[in-house]
Amino acid sequence: MLREFPPPPRAEEFSELIKQRLEEVRAAGGTRETVTVDWNGQQTHVDVIDLPLSGLYLNPGTHRIRAQRTHNPEQDRNLDEAPFEEAGQGYLRTLLQALPSNPDLRDPAFDKLKEDLRQFGQNDPGLVTRQGVLVNGNTRAVALRELGQQSMRVGVLPSSFTQADIDSVELALQLRQDQRRDYSYINRLLAMEEQASLGRTPEQIAKEFRIRTATYHQERWILSVIKELNDRSASGGGVALRLVDWEGAQERLKELHRLYAKLESLNRDQAEILKERRLAAILLDFSKTDVRHIDEMFLEQEYLENALPAELAESGTAGQTESVSIPGLGLDVPAASSAVSAARALNDRILRAAATVRNTTAGLADSEKAQAQALLDGAKDAFDKAIDSHGRDARVRKRKQLAPARLADACADIDQCVIELVQARTSNSLDEEAFDEAVIRLQSSLRKLAQQAGRGIPNPGDGVSWLLAAASVEGSQ
């Protein structure tokens, strides 16, 4: 994950300028402006100077847009090959202004930051390396350039800082609570993964990100699933889903993990099928409330299977081998069940179709994209029908359970009443007149219940029979 970048083209020139500015600040005497950075568990104070914006480089390794870089694979490759050339820096500028969930759109939060800078100026200094690469303040630098500003206040990191030190400092600054623009969800996941690759423990990472250790493990599971799906979406032409395609799915993915973890220990196959179904629904952009309908009952009643068109229902119907051999070990392990394989096969088709439709680079024929879009439309229509059917049936089941649930609540209240009646009699504090009136209301309620139960239940069980008999005896007295 950690990557070293080559020096910028004007690194020596800018390093000399920074050195001169720092000497001037220190020679001036008086109180110097400094900025505090968290590094290696300690706080370090570095001097702040004014530097020309034209000489500052945007940081190609910034965590803020790491997922969004995948929006355009070709430009992402160019940025990797020449991070400080105009094309790469231009791509970074575009992404820093863009909406994290859809880099084709401008982020209103960026315009809000820009307006704040226009009205009040730069309150907090950025942070820069000795070679002029911004570590913190990349978005502010882009906004200041759009406003026509010529310079920017920045703190200068020590020359001994390595790339790992720089990344650690940037991460610590961005995780502070007073930042105007938080990391997007996928970028937070990538930052956690990077910290793990540096050998930090889950407990240390969770503390730094201000989350529970269990939440950290949940986030790592989600990122591994996303990466697996992106790999599965790759087609022969090299088109694949991007990390940025999963921005905005945070809550749905977390709910999936919670349900998957609960089911996995009980029925692994059911957990895997449910995971595939929910991931497909998330990719097809169903809402959180719709995705929740994809539960155990959704699978048992085969709502989706009954709604799939023929061309999609054929996915993954081929027979499966009973075991899979592990090369080099001479071991056989059980293969996935045919139901799990079928669910994965359908999801693979949806993943590849989504990758084709969302591809932003040239080279795909319009007919190929149209065919992929037709598959997505068919899948979304099937999921929509299945979710709607399950929702209607669930509402019917809920209505059927309302009367029994109400009666169960009444029984619990009566049981509590027995306890409180004993306590009141023991302390000689019972309001007997009020209690008698309440019993009369209970008598009236039981009569009404018996009347309706006698009309609506042709073959009453023991409980209803008792109720009818009790009402009949009471009415004859």
PDB file of all heavy atoms in Angstrom, residues 297-316:
ATOM      1  N   MET A 297     -36.201 -15.377   5.168  1.00  0.00           N
ATOM      2  CA  MET A 297     -37.484 -15.707   4.552  1.00  0.00           C
ATOM      3  C   MET A 297     -37.463 -15.445   3.050  1.00  0.00           C
ATOM      4  O   MET A 297     -38.042 -16.193   2.265  1.00  0.00           O
ATOM      5  CB  MET A 297     -38.612 -14.903   5.216  1.00  0.00           C
ATOM      6  CG  MET A 297     -40.017 -15.263   4.745  1.00  0.00           C
ATOM      7  SD  MET A 297     -40.481 -16.957   5.197  1.00  0.00           S
ATOM      8  CE  MET A 297     -40.653 -16.782   6.972  1.00  0.00           C
ATOM      9  N   PHE A 298     -36.750 -14.392   2.646  1.00  0.00           N
ATOM     10  CA  PHE A 298     -36.609 -14.065   1.229  1.00  0.00           C
ATOM     11  C   PHE A 298     -35.970 -15.230   0.473  1.00  0.00           C
ATOM     12  O   PHE A 298     -36.357 -15.547  -0.654  1.00  0.00           O
ATOM     13  CB  PHE A 298     -35.749 -12.808   1.094  1.00  0.00           C
ATOM     14  CG  PHE A 298     -35.586 -12.293  -0.315  1.00  0.00           C
ATOM     15  CD1 PHE A 298     -36.478 -11.383  -0.854  1.00  0.00           C
ATOM     16  CD2 PHE A 298     -34.512 -12.706  -1.103  1.00  0.00           C
ATOM     17  CE1 PHE A 298     -36.319 -10.895  -2.146  1.00  0.00           C
ATOM     18  CE2 PHE A 298     -34.340 -12.230  -2.389  1.00  0.00           C
ATOM     19  CZ  PHE A 298     -35.261 -11.326  -2.912  1.00  0.00           C
ATOM     20  N   LEU A 299     -34.989 -15.880   1.123  1.00  0.00           N
ATOM     21  CA  LEU A 299     -34.319 -17.016   0.492  1.00  0.00           C
ATOM     22  C   LEU A 299     -35.188 -18.265   0.537  1.00  0.00           C
ATOM     23  O   LEU A 299     -35.306 -18.982  -0.466  1.00  0.00           O
ATOM     24  CB  LEU A 299     -32.985 -17.285   1.196  1.00  0.00           C
ATOM     25  CG  LEU A 299     -31.965 -16.138   1.255  1.00  0.00           C
ATOM     26  CD1 LEU A 299     -30.670 -16.623   1.891  1.00  0.00           C
ATOM     27  CD2 LEU A 299     -31.692 -15.552  -0.115  1.00  0.00           C
ATOM     28  N   GLU A 300     -35.802 -18.521   1.692  1.00  0.00           N
ATOM     29  CA  GLU A 300     -36.581 -19.751   1.854  1.00  0.00           C
ATOM     30  C   GLU A 300     -37.765 -19.801   0.888  1.00  0.00           C
ATOM     31  O   GLU A 300     -38.090 -20.861   0.346  1.00  0.00           O
ATOM     32  CB  GLU A 300     -37.071 -19.859   3.300  1.00  0.00           C
ATOM     33  CG  GLU A 300     -35.958 -20.135   4.300  1.00  0.00           C
ATOM     34  CD  GLU A 300     -36.426 -19.981   5.738  1.00  0.00           C
ATOM     35  OE1 GLU A 300     -37.662 -19.814   5.924  1.00  0.00           O
ATOM     36  OE2 GLU A 300     -35.589 -20.019   6.654  1.00  0.00           O
ATOM     37  N   GLN A 301     -38.415 -18.678   0.685  1.00  0.00           N
ATOM     38  CA  GLN A 301     -39.581 -18.630  -0.197  1.00  0.00           C
ATOM     39  C   GLN A 301     -39.212 -18.426  -1.669  1.00  0.00           C
ATOM     40  O   GLN A 301     -40.096 -18.382  -2.531  1.00  0.00           O
ATOM     41  CB  GLN A 301     -40.528 -17.509   0.257  1.00  0.00           C
ATOM     42  CG  GLN A 301     -41.084 -17.698   1.661  1.00  0.00           C
ATOM     43  CD  GLN A 301     -41.919 -18.955   1.778  1.00  0.00           C
ATOM     44  OE1 GLN A 301     -42.708 -19.282   0.896  1.00  0.00           O
ATOM     45  NE2 GLN A 301     -41.738 -19.685   2.885  1.00  0.00           N
ATOM     46  N   GLU A 302     -37.905 -18.283  -1.956  1.00  0.00           N
ATOM     47  CA  GLU A 302     -37.395 -18.154  -3.324  1.00  0.00           C
ATOM     48  C   GLU A 302     -38.109 -17.040  -4.109  1.00  0.00           C
ATOM     49  O   GLU A 302     -38.506 -17.207  -5.259  1.00  0.00           O
ATOM     50  CB  GLU A 302     -37.526 -19.490  -4.068  1.00  0.00           C
ATOM     51  CG  GLU A 302     -36.698 -20.614  -3.430  1.00  0.00           C
ATOM     52  CD  GLU A 302     -36.702 -21.878  -4.266  1.00  0.00           C
ATOM     53  OE1 GLU A 302     -37.590 -22.032  -5.124  1.00  0.00           O
ATOM     54  OE2 GLU A 302     -35.808 -22.720  -4.059  1.00  0.00           O
ATOM     55  N   TYR A 303     -38.243 -15.904  -3.469  1.00  0.00           N
ATOM     56  CA  TYR A 303     -38.903 -14.772  -4.125  1.00  0.00           C
ATOM     57  C   TYR A 303     -38.160 -14.349  -5.388  1.00  0.00           C
ATOM     58  O   TYR A 303     -38.778 -14.084  -6.426  1.00  0.00           O
ATOM     59  CB  TYR A 303     -39.004 -13.584  -3.166  1.00  0.00           C
ATOM     60  CG  TYR A 303     -40.054 -13.741  -2.096  1.00  0.00           C
ATOM     61  CD1 TYR A 303     -39.703 -14.132  -0.811  1.00  0.00           C
ATOM     62  CD2 TYR A 303     -41.393 -13.502  -2.373  1.00  0.00           C
ATOM     63  CE1 TYR A 303     -40.662 -14.278   0.188  1.00  0.00           C
ATOM     64  CE2 TYR A 303     -42.364 -13.645  -1.380  1.00  0.00           C
ATOM     65  CZ  TYR A 303     -41.991 -14.032  -0.113  1.00  0.00           C
ATOM     66  OH  TYR A 303     -42.942 -14.178   0.863  1.00  0.00           O
ATOM     67  N   LEU A 304     -36.829 -14.290  -5.313  1.00  0.00           N
ATOM     68  CA  LEU A 304     -36.066 -13.844  -6.476  1.00  0.00           C
ATOM     69  C   LEU A 304     -36.116 -14.882  -7.595  1.00  0.00           C
ATOM     70  O   LEU A 304     -36.286 -14.532  -8.770  1.00  0.00           O
ATOM     71  CB  LEU A 304     -34.613 -13.562  -6.087  1.00  0.00           C
ATOM     72  CG  LEU A 304     -33.731 -13.038  -7.229  1.00  0.00           C
ATOM     73  CD1 LEU A 304     -34.253 -11.699  -7.750  1.00  0.00           C
ATOM     74  CD2 LEU A 304     -32.283 -12.905  -6.777  1.00  0.00           C
ATOM     75  N   GLU A 305     -35.951 -16.146  -7.234  1.00  0.00           N
ATOM     76  CA  GLU A 305     -35.971 -17.214  -8.246  1.00  0.00           C
ATOM     77  C   GLU A 305     -37.288 -17.190  -9.029  1.00  0.00           C
ATOM     78  O   GLU A 305     -37.298 -17.440 -10.242  1.00  0.00           O
ATOM     79  CB  GLU A 305     -35.787 -18.565  -7.581  1.00  0.00           C
ATOM     80  CG  GLU A 305     -34.372 -18.843  -7.072  1.00  0.00           C
ATOM     81  CD  GLU A 305     -34.049 -18.142  -5.762  1.00  0.00           C
ATOM     82  OE1 GLU A 305     -34.904 -17.388  -5.258  1.00  0.00           O
ATOM     83  OE2 GLU A 305     -32.942 -18.326  -5.263  1.00  0.00           O
ATOM     84  N   ASN A 306     -38.383 -16.874  -8.362  1.00  0.00           N
ATOM     85  CA  ASN A 306     -39.688 -16.832  -9.034  1.00  0.00           C
ATOM     86  C   ASN A 306     -39.860 -15.601  -9.913  1.00  0.00           C
ATOM     87  O   ASN A 306     -40.743 -15.573 -10.772  1.00  0.00           O
ATOM     88  CB  ASN A 306     -40.815 -16.870  -7.992  1.00  0.00           C
ATOM     89  CG  ASN A 306     -40.838 -18.180  -7.226  1.00  0.00           C
ATOM     90  OD1 ASN A 306     -40.457 -19.222  -7.754  1.00  0.00           O
ATOM     91  ND2 ASN A 306     -41.271 -18.140  -5.971  1.00  0.00           N
ATOM     92  N   ALA A 307     -39.010 -14.591  -9.692  1.00  0.00           N
ATOM     93  CA  ALA A 307     -39.145 -13.346 -10.451  1.00  0.00           C
ATOM     94  C   ALA A 307     -38.117 -13.197 -11.566  1.00  0.00           C
ATOM     95  O   ALA A 307     -38.270 -12.355 -12.448  1.00  0.00           O
ATOM     96  CB  ALA A 307     -39.037 -12.146  -9.501  1.00  0.00           C
ATOM     97  N   LEU A 308     -37.059 -14.018 -11.549  1.00  0.00           N
ATOM     98  CA  LEU A 308     -35.989 -13.865 -12.537  1.00  0.00           C
ATOM     99  C   LEU A 308     -36.468 -14.221 -13.939  1.00  0.00           C
ATOM    100  O   LEU A 308     -37.142 -15.238 -14.133  1.00  0.00           O
ATOM    101  CB  LEU A 308     -34.802 -14.759 -12.181  1.00  0.00           C
ATOM    102  CG  LEU A 308     -33.869 -14.289 -11.065  1.00  0.00           C
ATOM    103  CD1 LEU A 308     -32.860 -15.374 -10.732  1.00  0.00           C
ATOM    104  CD2 LEU A 308     -33.156 -13.004 -11.460  1.00  0.00           C
ATOM    105  N   PRO A 309     -36.110 -13.421 -14.943  1.00  0.00           N
ATOM    106  CA  PRO A 309     -36.407 -13.810 -16.328  1.00  0.00           C
ATOM    107  C   PRO A 309     -35.566 -15.010 -16.730  1.00  0.00           C
ATOM    108  O   PRO A 309     -34.552 -15.326 -16.094  1.00  0.00           O
ATOM    109  CB  PRO A 309     -36.011 -12.555 -17.125  1.00  0.00           C
ATOM    110  CG  PRO A 309     -35.024 -11.842 -16.273  1.00  0.00           C
ATOM    111  CD  PRO A 309     -35.426 -12.118 -14.857  1.00  0.00           C
ATOM    112  N   ALA A 310     -35.973 -15.667 -17.778  1.00  0.00           N
ATOM    113  CA  ALA A 310     -35.328 -16.921 -18.172  1.00  0.00           C
ATOM    114  C   ALA A 310     -33.837 -16.757 -18.417  1.00  0.00           C
ATOM    115  O   ALA A 310     -33.029 -17.604 -18.020  1.00  0.00           O
ATOM    116  CB  ALA A 310     -36.017 -17.478 -19.423  1.00  0.00           C
ATOM    117  N   GLU A 311     -33.448 -15.646 -19.069  1.00  0.00           N
ATOM    118  CA  GLU A 311     -32.032 -15.483 -19.412  1.00  0.00           C
ATOM    119  C   GLU A 311     -31.149 -15.303 -18.183  1.00  0.00           C
ATOM    120  O   GLU A 311     -29.951 -15.597 -18.208  1.00  0.00           O
ATOM    121  CB  GLU A 311     -31.831 -14.294 -20.363  1.00  0.00           C
ATOM    122  CG  GLU A 311     -32.268 -12.947 -19.810  1.00  0.00           C
ATOM    123  CD  GLU A 311     -33.729 -12.653 -20.093  1.00  0.00           C
ATOM    124  OE1 GLU A 311     -34.487 -13.612 -20.419  1.00  0.00           O
ATOM    125  OE2 GLU A 311     -34.117 -11.477 -20.006  1.00  0.00           O
ATOM    126  N   LEU A 312     -31.717 -14.822 -17.074  1.00  0.00           N
ATOM    127  CA  LEU A 312     -30.945 -14.687 -15.839  1.00  0.00           C
ATOM    128  C   LEU A 312     -31.088 -15.912 -14.950  1.00  0.00           C
ATOM    129  O   LEU A 312     -30.175 -16.251 -14.201  1.00  0.00           O
ATOM    130  CB  LEU A 312     -31.393 -13.443 -15.070  1.00  0.00           C
ATOM    131  CG  LEU A 312     -30.967 -12.096 -15.660  1.00  0.00           C
ATOM    132  CD1 LEU A 312     -31.573 -10.944 -14.866  1.00  0.00           C
ATOM    133  CD2 LEU A 312     -29.456 -11.965 -15.690  1.00  0.00           C
ATOM    134  N   ALA A 313     -32.235 -16.573 -15.035  1.00  0.00           N
ATOM    135  CA  ALA A 313     -32.464 -17.766 -14.212  1.00  0.00           C
ATOM    136  C   ALA A 313     -31.524 -18.894 -14.591  1.00  0.00           C
ATOM    137  O   ALA A 313     -31.263 -19.803 -13.796  1.00  0.00           O
ATOM    138  CB  ALA A 313     -33.912 -18.225 -14.342  1.00  0.00           C
ATOM    139  N   GLU A 314     -30.976 -18.862 -15.800  1.00  0.00           N
ATOM    140  CA  GLU A 314     -30.076 -19.915 -16.247  1.00  0.00           C
ATOM    141  C   GLU A 314     -28.678 -19.788 -15.678  1.00  0.00           C
ATOM    142  O   GLU A 314     -27.853 -20.667 -15.824  1.00  0.00           O
ATOM    143  CB  GLU A 314     -29.981 -19.899 -17.781  1.00  0.00           C
ATOM    144  CG  GLU A 314     -31.303 -20.220 -18.466  1.00  0.00           C
ATOM    145  CD  GLU A 314     -31.234 -20.007 -19.969  1.00  0.00           C
ATOM    146  OE1 GLU A 314     -30.163 -19.558 -20.433  1.00  0.00           O
ATOM    147  OE2 GLU A 314     -32.221 -20.279 -20.661  1.00  0.00           O
ATOM    148  N   SER A 315     -28.374 -18.660 -15.001  1.00  0.00           N
ATOM    149  CA  SER A 315     -27.026 -18.432 -14.466  1.00  0.00           C
ATOM    150  C   SER A 315     -26.664 -19.487 -13.430  1.00  0.00           C
ATOM    151  O   SER A 315     -27.412 -19.743 -12.495  1.00  0.00           O
ATOM    152  CB  SER A 315     -26.945 -17.045 -13.810  1.00  0.00           C
ATOM    153  OG  SER A 315     -27.219 -16.040 -14.749  1.00  0.00           O
ATOM    154  N   GLY A 316     -25.525 -20.092 -13.605  1.00  0.00           N
ATOM    155  CA  GLY A 316     -24.998 -20.994 -12.584  1.00  0.00           C
ATOM    156  C   GLY A 316     -25.783 -22.268 -12.389  1.00  0.00           C
ATOM    157  O   GLY A 316     -25.764 -22.836 -11.307  1.00  0.00           O
TER     158      GLY A 316
END
